[in-house]
Amino acid sequence: MAKMINPYDDKNYTFFGDVCKFIDEAANHLKYPKGLIEQIKQCNSVYQFNFPLSGKGEHDYQVIKGYRVQHSHHKLPVKGGIRFSISVNEDEVKALAALMSFKCALVNVPYGGAKGGVKIDPRNYTTEQLERITRRYTSELIKKNFIGPAIDVPAPDMGTGAREMAWIADTYATFHPDSINALGCVTGKPISQHGIRGRTEATGRGVYFGIREAVDRADDMKALGLERGIEGKRVIIQGLGNVGYYSAINLAKDGAKIIGIAEYDGGLYNESGIDIEAVIEHRKESGSITNFNGAKTIKNSLDLLEYDCDILIPAALENQITVKNAANIKAKLIAEAANGPVTPEAEEILIEKGCMIIPDLYLNAGGVTVSYFEWLKNLSRVSFGKIEKKNDEMKNRLMVEAIEKSSGQQLGKEHRDLLIKGAGEADLVDSGLEETMINGYNDLRGTMAEHKVKSLRKAAFINSVDKIAINYLDMGIFP
Ligand code: GLU
């Protein structure tokens, strides 16, 4: 079975070390005291714990390892997902927690960064066991005050989803029956459990908005030898999980061709484009994307990263493009939907080759952006648009009718409906997400120009380190 690259094969490698390198580089462009940069770099709290999971027999149990890392308390609560994966380790959780701080700062979502993890392969556990693991994990966080709507607010990440978030919310609420804000202790919940419309698709939809912004700049595209716009772009995607799926279907809707899909157990390739929904159906029936009859099966899915394409979207694990394969990458644009898929050394090789990288800090910020909206909804206990929608509709209708009367012209049905319709929760979430991604890209380009840097990632770190530093200075901690 073909595997994704495991960076921990290299004994000297640390993911957190990679993130620190980016922070140091950003600091070189800024004028802040060394001590302040060190504070910004370090993880403020690292909590590692173990708990038993009993099996069927009386003496049958296993020890489960859990983590929660709070990287930066410059803003509270801290925020970040919980990952269920066998590759979870302290270094990984620290790095991912740090990335959350910079991601939130970059897109102006007012949180510090955090991340959690449970070292299990969720595919090896029954639903009942996963529920016990999730509830026990939550209890361990409660015991140490590592969760709460004003303290630390988890969310889905790799291997977890709305179901796990509902278990977390229920466990927390059980321990805090008198807290009216208890349901704001976690985001990414099912809609019926005080979640928000659009959260499930948010990260992938944000990836789409980010790519759309990047490919809309004719000069940048010309430099890459590409046409402006999404239409006709040949895309290879690694990872067809939640983020990969929603990125792919949104891009395909705008006319992109998904020519390759890489998964942990094999890949698919078809130069004429692959029907994503049909692949999902096929996987539901067979358990794997491989042997899908609308594409050629590629045994070693990592090879697909090196195939010719316009846009490569790593949407799986960190450290997939390293010094080992960077020189062979043919994509002109790499869009980091996953966290940390390109190492700093690989990035240097790619930039040298003229490749453009849209960094994770910016590109996958859609998830936490919509999490922020969910948290606001939980604290205010009213869904967006609920109060004003009908009233807006009534006013819009009067306005449209007045315009039609005075102009003597009837608007077409489509335009009429669009003008009259008041915005509901899904519309508002999507518009807030789109606005955040557009502004984020413009900010990145602004920082690039101001600091004369060639890489969007450098700009992302400069922009976010600067914002966090200002925050600390304004708190009076570093006079
Ligand atoms: N796990 C997601 C991320 O890495 C979402 C975090 C959140 O919504 O808090 O950005």
Side-chain angles (χ1 to χ4, degrees):
M1 197 187 278
K3 275 203 180 138
M4 310 251 177
I5 290 177
N6 179 1
Y8 298 102
D9 288 347
D10 174 356
K11 297 274 173 298
N12 299 318
Y13 171 79
T14 75
F15 185 10
F16 184 60
D18 272 1
V19 177
C20 290
K21 273 186 212 161
F22 288 128
I23 301 168
D24 283 333
E25 263 193 55
N28 289 337
H29 289 266
L30 302 163
K31 304 232 166 333
Y32 291 112
K34 244 182 146 191
L36 173 53
I37 296 298
E38 199 52 31
Q39 169 61 39
I40 290 174
K41 207 188 282 178
Q42 293 306 330
C43 292
N44 288 4
S45 319
V46 180
Y47 178 30
Q48 194 268 304
F49 48 96
N50 300 293
F51 55 86
L53 175 76
S54 54
K56 284 202 180 88
E58 209 181 321
H59 303 292
D60 171 21
Y61 68 89
Q62 49 177 298
V63 178
I64 307 285
K65 211 177 251 318
Y67 299 87
R68 184 73 184 170
V69 171
Q70 298 177 347
H71 170 257
S72 177
H73 293 139
H74 71 284
K75 284 208 189 298
L76 285 170
V78 291
K79 186 96 189 71
I82 293 174
R83 176 173 286 205
F84 283 3
S85 160
I86 204 66
S87 69
V88 162
N89 60 57
E90 185 174 318
D91 172 58
E92 184 189 68
V93 188
K94 280 170 71 179
L96 293 169
L99 287 176
M100 282 308 300
S101 293
F102 302 109
K103 188 187 303 190
C104 291
L106 181 66
V107 293
N108 300 314
V109 168
Y111 294 130
K115 201 75 163 201
V118 180
K119 193 175 178 58
I120 53 163
D121 180 346
R123 284 170 293 209
N124 296 340
Y125 294 84
T126 62
T127 305
E128 189 256 336
Q129 284 175 317
L130 288 172
E131 177 171 356
R132 273 160 53 208
I133 291 170
T134 309
R135 287 186 183 278
R136 179 63 189 257
Y137 175 88
T138 310
S139 313
E140 295 296 330
L141 296 187
I142 294 169
K143 272 196 230 167
K144 290 281 192 281
N145 219 8
F146 259 67
I147 182 170
I151 299 169
D152 185 341
V153 183
D157 201 86
M158 188 185 296
T160 59
R163 179 184 67 172
E164 285 73 16
M165 302 308 116
W167 290 331
I168 293 174
D170 184 56
T171 310
Y172 183 86
T174 307
F175 280 94
H176 297 87
D178 56 345
S179 165
I180 197 155
N181 290 327
L183 291 164
C185 74
V186 66
T187 58
K189 302 178 291 291
I191 310 266
S192 67
Q193 301 304 306
H194 306 265
I196 196 165
R197 279 164 191 81
R199 176 61 186 87
T200 308
E201 44 279 64
T203 312
R205 184 119 175 102
V207 168
Y208 155 74
F209 284 134
I211 294 176
R212 192 191 69 184
E213 284 312 295
V215 300
D216 198 39
R217 302 203 174 211
D219 287 353
D220 290 354
M221 290 306 105
K222 205 170 156 203
L224 297 175
L226 294 174
E227 295 286 318
R228 181 180 171 191
I230 286 177
E231 174 117 47
K233 290 279 177 302
R234 298 159 57 247
V235 177
I236 294 181
I237 194 147
Q238 184 196 34
L240 198 62
N242 171 284
V243 179
Y245 168 73
Y246 284 108
S247 306
I249 58 164
N250 278 291
L251 288 166
K253 244 186 240 157
D254 269 10
K257 255 198 302 180
I258 313 297
I259 61 169
I261 307 170
E263 260 291 350
Y264 72 100
D265 59 348
L268 295 174
Y269 178 76
N270 183 349
E271 190 53 45
S272 327
I274 304 170
D275 178 347
I276 299 292
E277 299 294 0
V279 174
I280 297 288
E281 271 313 303
H282 166 76
R283 180 166 67 182
K284 257 189 216 152
E285 283 157 22
S286 70
S288 168
I289 66 163
T290 57
N291 303 316
F292 169 66
N293 61 18
K296 187 173 156 204
T297 291
I298 308 294
K299 256 193 171 168
N300 185 354
S301 64
L302 270 179
D303 291 349
L304 270 168
L305 303 189
E306 299 175 17
Y307 278 35
D308 182 68
C309 65
D310 298 326
I311 308 177
L312 174 63
I313 308 181
L317 283 174
E318 59 266 17
N319 297 289
Q320 295 304 298
I321 301 172
T322 69
V323 280
K324 287 186 193 154
N325 56 0
N328 301 332
I329 302 284
K330 290 170 199 71
K332 311 209 173 49
L333 180 60
I334 297 183
E336 293 187 331
N339 288 308
V342 179
T343 64
E345 295 76 17
E347 169 145 357
E348 271 173 36
I349 299 170
L350 291 162
I351 299 259
E352 188 68 24
K353 275 163 54 121
C355 177
M356 178 176 174
I357 302 174
I358 315 179
D360 50 359
L361 277 199
Y362 160 70
L363 196 65
N364 68 29
V368 75
T369 300
V370 176
S371 274
Y372 172 48
F373 301 155
E374 179 176 333
W375 181 73
L376 292 175
K377 172 183 174 176
N378 295 151
L379 299 190
S380 63
R381 280 171 290 281
V382 60
S383 62
F384 293 98
K386 187 176 174 76
I387 295 174
E388 61 273 41
K389 187 168 186 283
K390 275 287 158 226
N391 191 268
D392 283 352
E393 255 173 40
M394 185 263 292
K395 283 199 249 167
N396 294 345
R397 186 180 301 280
L398 287 177
M399 198 129 58
V400 166
E401 282 168 3
I403 292 168
E404 284 179 337
K405 203 169 166 199
S406 66
S407 69
Q409 275 186 350
Q410 190 83 15
L411 286 171
K413 183 174 166 21
E414 203 181 320
H415 277 115
R416 204 171 193 276
D417 289 350
L418 204 69
L419 284 173
I420 292 174
K421 185 178 168 247
E425 183 172 86
D427 307 303
L428 292 167
V429 164
D430 201 50
S431 99
L433 173 61
E434 183 171 7
E435 171 80 357
T436 303
M437 296 310 291
I438 293 173
N439 289 345
Y441 200 73
N442 288 333
D443 286 356
L444 272 186
R445 298 305 307 227
T447 309
M448 255 178 123
E450 190 189 332
H451 290 273
K452 299 186 178 51
V453 290
K454 286 210 183 89
S455 122
L456 281 165
R457 189 191 318 281
K458 278 189 191 159
F461 272 96
I462 294 171
N463 181 298
S464 51
V465 169
D466 194 24
K467 282 179 186 155
I468 298 175
I470 290 170
N471 209 290
Y472 272 120
L473 290 174
D474 289 348
M475 281 159 86
I477 294 179
F478 287 85

